[in-house]
Amino acid sequence: MALWMAFLAFSFYSVPSGKLNSVKSYIYYRGEKFDKKLKNYDLVIVPPDFKRKFVKKLHRYGKKVVVSVKKEDNFAPYHILESEKPEENFDGFFIILQPSDTDFVRMLHDTFPDKAIIISTDVIHIEPFLDYIDGYMWRFFSTEFKNVRYTVKTDVDEIHRENYLAINILNRLRKYRKNFKVFSLDVLTIPDTQSIVACYYRARRLDFIEYVGTPALNFVIYIPDTFHVDSAYAYGSFDPVFKLPSQIVRDTSPENIALAINGAEAYCDSKAPWADISVVNDGYINDPAIEWLIPINWASGSDSAAHYVEIRFADEYYLDSVKIYWPIVNGVPLSPKRYRLEAWSSERQFWWPMVIATDSRPRKMDKFVFTDAYAGRIRIYIAPGDGPKMYPFQLWVSEIKAYGE
C-alpha cells in the first residue's frame, strides 16, 4: 500500500527489451480464415494452427503475431512454432499461468529471447514473472457470464476492492516498466455497439489496451477509434497508500522474543468480531500500506470493562526493551489515553506494572527501555474508558515487540 517510499524493489528487475513498444491495439482471434480487418490491429493473438501464410501476410503490413499456447503442452511443440522462414515466425507467446509457473516462463524466455511473452494470471502473483514477460492480459475485465450469456458488468463505472488492488499493482508495474503493456479482453454474446463502447471506455480510462470479441473469438469486431477517453488512472495517479507484495517485509528477527515464530503466544480478554489476536505478534507492524493484503490490527471487545492483550514468551528473560505499535486508522493512531505495561514471572507470580503510561496524545509507537525487568509474560492493560479517543472502551494493538536475554 504506501508508495510514499522509494520503489527500490524494482531496481533489480532485468527489464525485457520492449518487444511490444509499438503496440497500441490488439485482437484475440481464433478464426480459421484471414480477415482483412485484422490489419487494423498492431498485435494479433492467434491459435497455433493459424496458417503461416497468414502470419507472413500480417508481417507485410507491419503487424505482430503472437501465438496462444498452453503450459500443459510439452515444451517440444514450441520449437515447432519456429519456422525456417523468419517472415512466417510468430513474434511471441500468450499463456494463461498459475503462480507456480515462474520456472516455466523463465525457460520460455531463455529459449526464445527474441520473442514477446504475454501472460494472464491472478494480478497479485504477477511480480515473480516480471523479469521474463512483456505484457499482462486481464480477461473479462468489463464483462461477465450472467443469465446464460456474456454481458457488460452492471458495475462498469465502479471500481470494487478487488479491482482497486489489481489496478494499483498494474499501475505501479507500468510506472517502473515503461515498456510493460496491459491488455484487457472482454467477450459479449450480443456485441451491440453501446456495450462494446462501454468496455473500451472503461479500459481506456485505465490505459489498458482493450479488445471485445464474441465468446468463440472467431469473428473480428472492429470499432474505429472515433471516441476519446481521458485516462483517469494514468501511471502516476495511483493511491498513495499501497505497497506491492514484494515491498511487504515481515520481522523474523530471532532477537524479538515476542514473535510467534520465536515461540511466544498471544492472549486477550476479548476481541472484536473481525479481530484475530495472532496479528499482535506476527511480525507485521502498523503499516496501512499493507493492510489490503495482511491483517495488521487487533481490537478488544467494546464493553465497559477492563481489557488486556498478553504475550507469553517461550522462556523468562531480562527485558531490554518493549515496543508497542498502535493501529493507524484513517491516518489516526489508536493509542490508548492511559494504560499499564505489566509483567509476570516465576519469581513474581502476579501482574506488576513496569510502566504506567499517561500520555494521551495519539502515538504510532511507544518504546520503553528496562534495566532490571525479569519476565516470562507481559501484557498491556487498560481500565474501562481508557482506550483511544475514538474507541474509549476498546484496546487496539497492531504489534508488540520485545527484546531481552
Side-chain angles (χ1 to χ4, degrees), residues 295-344:
I296 56 172
N297 298 330
W298 169 88
S300 71
S302 57
D303 53 76
S304 56
H307 296 298
Y308 68 85
V309 58
E310 174 186 347
I311 301 293
R312 297 181 186 178
F313 305 132
D315 202 345
E316 295 189 334
Y317 301 88
Y318 283 100
L319 296 178
D320 295 328
S321 63
V322 172
K323 295 179 180 180
I324 306 169
Y325 294 84
W326 307 110
I328 302 170
V329 177
N330 297 324
V332 179
L334 298 183
S335 53
K337 294 189 288 288
R338 289 172 292 277
Y339 69 95
R340 295 200 304 264
L341 178 61
E342 301 178 328
W344 177 296

Side-chain angles (χ1 to χ4, degrees), residues 363-376:
R363 305 169 310 283
K364 296 180 179 179
M365 188 266 285
D366 286 340
K367 178 180 179 180
F368 304 103
V369 178
F370 307 99
T371 57
D372 189 26
Y374 186 68

Side-chain angles (χ1 to χ4, degrees), residues 230-356:
D230 291 325
S231 174
Y233 304 97
Y235 305 161
S237 304
F238 40 59
D239 190 334
V241 183
F242 190 93
K243 272 185 181 174
L244 288 163
S246 65
Q247 298 171 303
I248 299 175
V249 180
R250 183 183 186 183
D251 180 6
T252 58
S253 168
E255 288 78 24
N256 181 1
I257 59 176
L259 278 175
I261 59 174
N262 292 333
E265 298 178 338
Y267 297 89
C268 58
D269 70 287
S270 62
K271 64 183 182 68
W274 50 266
D276 183 347
I277 188 60
S278 67
V279 306
V280 303
N281 67 334
D282 63 355
Y284 297 105
I285 63 171
N286 56 351
D287 186 355
I290 70 175
E291 194 171 10
W292 68 272
L293 183 62
I294 306 294
I296 56 172
N297 298 330
W298 169 88
S300 71
S302 57
D303 53 76
S304 56
H307 296 298
Y308 68 85
V309 58
E310 174 186 347
I311 301 293
R312 297 181 186 178
F313 305 132
D315 202 345
E316 295 189 334
Y317 301 88
Y318 283 100
L319 296 178
D320 295 328
S321 63
V322 172
K323 295 179 180 180
I324 306 169
Y325 294 84
W326 307 110
I328 302 170
V329 177
N330 297 324
V332 179
L334 298 183
S335 53
K337 294 189 288 288
R338 289 172 292 277
Y339 69 95
R340 295 200 304 264
L341 178 61
E342 301 178 328
W344 177 296
S345 70
S346 58
E347 297 178 354
R348 305 173 75 177
Q349 296 185 28
F350 57 90
W351 289 108
W352 59 275
M354 294 190 296
V355 176
I356 299 177

Side-chain angles (χ1 to χ4, degrees), residues 3 344 380 395:
L3 267 305
W344 177 296
I380 302 166
L395 172 62

Side-chain angles (χ1 to χ4, degrees), residues 131-148:
D131 286 344
Y132 319 111
I133 65 174
D134 303 275
Y136 171 80
M137 182 185 290
W138 186 330
R139 296 176 299 150
F140 304 104
F141 179 60
S142 296
T143 53
E144 61 184 345
F145 189 70
K146 191 174 182 180
N147 298 327
V148 202

Side-chain angles (χ1 to χ4, degrees), residues 102-333:
T102 310
D103 289 341
F104 169 78
V105 176
R106 182 191 297 116
M107 178 175 60
L108 194 61
H109 173 270
D110 293 345
T111 305
F112 300 103
D114 62 328
K115 302 298 182 184
I117 300 176
I118 304 169
I119 69 168
S120 181
T121 189
D122 189 333
V123 178
I124 198 173
H125 301 302
I126 194 175
E127 281 192 276
F129 294 104
L130 283 181
D131 286 344
Y132 319 111
I133 65 174
D134 303 275
Y136 171 80
M137 182 185 290
W138 186 330
R139 296 176 299 150
F140 304 104
F141 179 60
S142 296
T143 53
E144 61 184 345
F145 189 70
K146 191 174 182 180
N147 298 327
V148 202
R149 68 176 187 173
Y150 288 96
T151 59
V152 177
K153 293 177 182 177
T154 55
D155 64 334
V156 68
D157 292 321
E158 299 177 12
I159 298 179
H160 287 292
R161 179 168 175 78
E162 61 269 23
N163 287 355
Y164 157 83
L165 298 178
I167 289 166
N168 270 277
I169 290 172
L170 291 172
N171 276 348
R172 279 159 180 75
L173 298 184
R174 291 188 293 176
K175 179 178 175 63
Y176 292 92
R177 282 277 309 277
K178 297 293 187 183
N179 54 353
F180 188 79
K181 299 290 185 178
V182 178
F183 303 90
S184 51
L185 174 68
D186 288 295
V187 297
L188 292 166
T189 303
I190 303 175
D192 61 280
T193 301
Q194 182 178 353
S195 296
I196 294 172
V197 170
C199 293
Y200 273 91
Y201 183 87
R202 187 180 189 219
R204 289 186 181 182
R205 288 186 72 223
L206 296 164
D207 291 333
F208 292 177
I209 303 174
E210 168 78 353
Y211 177 68
V212 180
T214 57
L217 296 170
N218 58 354
F219 179 75
V220 178
I221 299 179
Y222 176 64
I223 298 295
D225 192 9
T226 56
F227 62 96
H228 175 73
V229 179
D230 291 325
S231 174
Y233 304 97
Y235 305 161
S237 304
F238 40 59
D239 190 334
V241 183
F242 190 93
K243 272 185 181 174
L244 288 163
S246 65
Q247 298 171 303
I248 299 175
V249 180
R250 183 183 186 183
D251 180 6
T252 58
S253 168
E255 288 78 24
N256 181 1
I257 59 176
L259 278 175
I261 59 174
N262 292 333
E265 298 178 338
Y267 297 89
C268 58
D269 70 287
S270 62
K271 64 183 182 68
W274 50 266
D276 183 347
I277 188 60
S278 67
V279 306
V280 303
N281 67 334
D282 63 355
Y284 297 105
I285 63 171
N286 56 351
D287 186 355
I290 70 175
E291 194 171 10
W292 68 272
L293 183 62
I294 306 294
I296 56 172
N297 298 330
W298 169 88
S300 71
S302 57
D303 53 76
S304 56
H307 296 298
Y308 68 85
V309 58
E310 174 186 347
I311 301 293
R312 297 181 186 178
F313 305 132
D315 202 345
E316 295 189 334
Y317 301 88
Y318 283 100
L319 296 178
D320 295 328
S321 63
V322 172
K323 295 179 180 180
I324 306 169
Y325 294 84
W326 307 110
I328 302 170
V329 177
N330 297 324
V332 179

